[in-house]
Amino acid sequence: MLLDDELPGLTYLKMLCEQIPDLEVIKAFNDPKIFLKEVPKMDFDICILDIEMPEMNGLQIANLLDGKPVIFATAYKDYAAEAFDLNAIDYIRKPIHIERLKQAIDKAKKQLAIPLDQKSKTYIQLNTDKGKALLYFDKIAYIKTSEIDSRDKIARLFDGNEILIKNITFEKLTEILPKNSFCRINKREILSIKAVQFFSFDEITSNLTNEQGREMRFTLGENFRNEFLLKVKI
């Protein structure tokens, strides 16, 4: 995602980005207000943005991006300290040269390649029946296959709310969920380790309750037992 209130500078930045392999510009904005309105609907890995803009500067906007990696591209050197306080990946001075931009993008690639459970990130963005949603890992109790469409999954939160996740596999979920905090326990369910209260050879009793107020119990499948036992012993 690109943001720069000066259209010529934005056009030039977009042109440079299009020359870098494996880098795709999802959308370019020249209005911070429109950017903030549209950004919750967008699926992107990194934002390159200016700092000096009318009404709202790039530092304020970066604070609203929920930890998304940012690269600042600006004509001013005075904001470098503030930028790195925000854990910015890089701070590029204008006029931007493509080699300098490539260097910043390489830094971003390295950061994005770090496994999710080694980052400080505490949530994942997923598609739901109501649009994109941020699911915080510590709020998820378990995830099960939807009975209506097996391609969809239902996330039950510790507060009792449920969220329908659209078109995602358990294989993908096990990749993106913190590995030490969640475990697939059978073909149809992933359980948070925090939800485990007791367990036996083939059954897990959770600290969750169903609609009747009873403890929820889960089947521990034979093919998933060893991994589960390893995780509860950590």
Side-chain angles (χ1 to χ4, degrees):
M1 295 275 276
L2 307 180
L3 173 62
D4 192 325
D5 66 304
E6 295 181 355
L7 198 53
L10 182 64
T11 303
Y12 178 66
L13 176 59
K14 185 173 183 291
M15 181 195 72
L16 292 180
C17 288
E18 289 170 346
Q19 296 177 44
I20 299 176
D22 303 325
L23 186 65
E24 178 187 0
V25 177
I26 302 298
K27 199 163 183 180
F29 295 86
N30 68 336
D31 186 322
K33 283 188 174 180
I34 296 176
F35 173 85
L36 288 174
K37 184 179 179 181
E38 293 293 320
V39 80
K41 308 171 190 175
M42 300 290 180
D43 186 11
F44 65 102
D45 296 311
I46 187 168
C47 180
I48 305 175
L49 71 165
D50 195 6
I51 291 184
E52 283 283 356
M53 291 182 287
E55 298 187 41
M56 203 169 196
N57 69 40
L59 297 169
Q60 293 170 311
I61 289 170
N63 263 317
L64 300 174
L65 292 182
D66 295 316
K68 285 280 189 182
V70 297
I71 294 172
F72 289 107
T74 178
Y76 302 89
K77 63 180 181 181
D78 305 334
Y79 298 101
E82 292 94 330
F84 287 108
D85 282 344
L86 290 171
N87 294 319
I89 287 176
D90 213 335
Y91 187 96
I92 305 174
R93 293 282 305 281
K94 293 181 179 179
I96 301 171
H97 300 288
I98 191 165
E99 291 305 321
R100 180 67 182 86
L101 181 60
K102 284 180 179 177
Q103 184 182 8
I105 296 300
D106 285 342
K107 288 183 183 180
K109 285 181 179 179
K110 288 178 182 177
Q111 179 166 322
L112 291 167
I114 298 172
L116 194 57
D117 56 355
Q118 292 181 23
K119 295 183 182 181
S120 58
K121 197 169 183 180
T122 57
Y123 64 89
I124 187 67
Q125 180 179 273
L126 293 172
N127 294 320
T128 75
D129 58 330
K130 297 179 181 178
K132 291 193 178 292
L134 298 183
L135 292 182
Y136 286 82
F137 300 137
D138 62 348
K139 306 293 185 186
I140 302 171
Y142 72 89
I143 300 173
K144 66 179 181 179
T145 301
S146 169
E147 294 179 2
I148 298 172
D149 188 338
S150 62
R151 293 172 299 180
D152 299 338
K153 308 296 180 286
I154 296 173
R156 158 80 183 263
L157 308 183
F158 280 104
D159 64 8
N161 288 320
E162 291 188 345
I163 297 172
L164 180 66
I165 306 169
K166 298 296 292 180
N167 196 23
I168 192 167
T169 65
F170 277 121
E171 287 72 24
K172 183 63 176 177
L173 283 167
T174 54
E175 284 178 17
I176 60 181
L177 291 169
K179 292 182 173 30
N180 290 338
S181 301
F182 292 86
C183 185
R184 190 171 179 184
I185 55 172
N186 56 57
K187 290 182 178 180
R188 298 178 61 85
E189 293 169 312
I190 291 174
L191 184 66
S192 168
I193 300 301
K194 285 200 316 179
V196 176
Q197 186 166 229
F198 310 107
F199 60 91
S200 63
F201 182 74
D202 58 1
E203 186 179 75
I204 299 167
T205 302
S206 73
N207 52 29
L208 310 170
T209 54
N210 59 21
E211 293 177 357
Q212 291 75 40
R214 297 173 182 168
E215 292 175 332
M216 295 182 67
R217 298 184 179 185
F218 298 85
T219 299
L220 179 56
E222 182 180 355
N223 293 336
F224 304 92
R225 187 177 300 121
N226 288 341
E227 183 183 356
F228 172 78
L229 293 175
L230 285 172
K231 290 187 177 184
V232 294
K233 288 178 181 177
I234 291 175

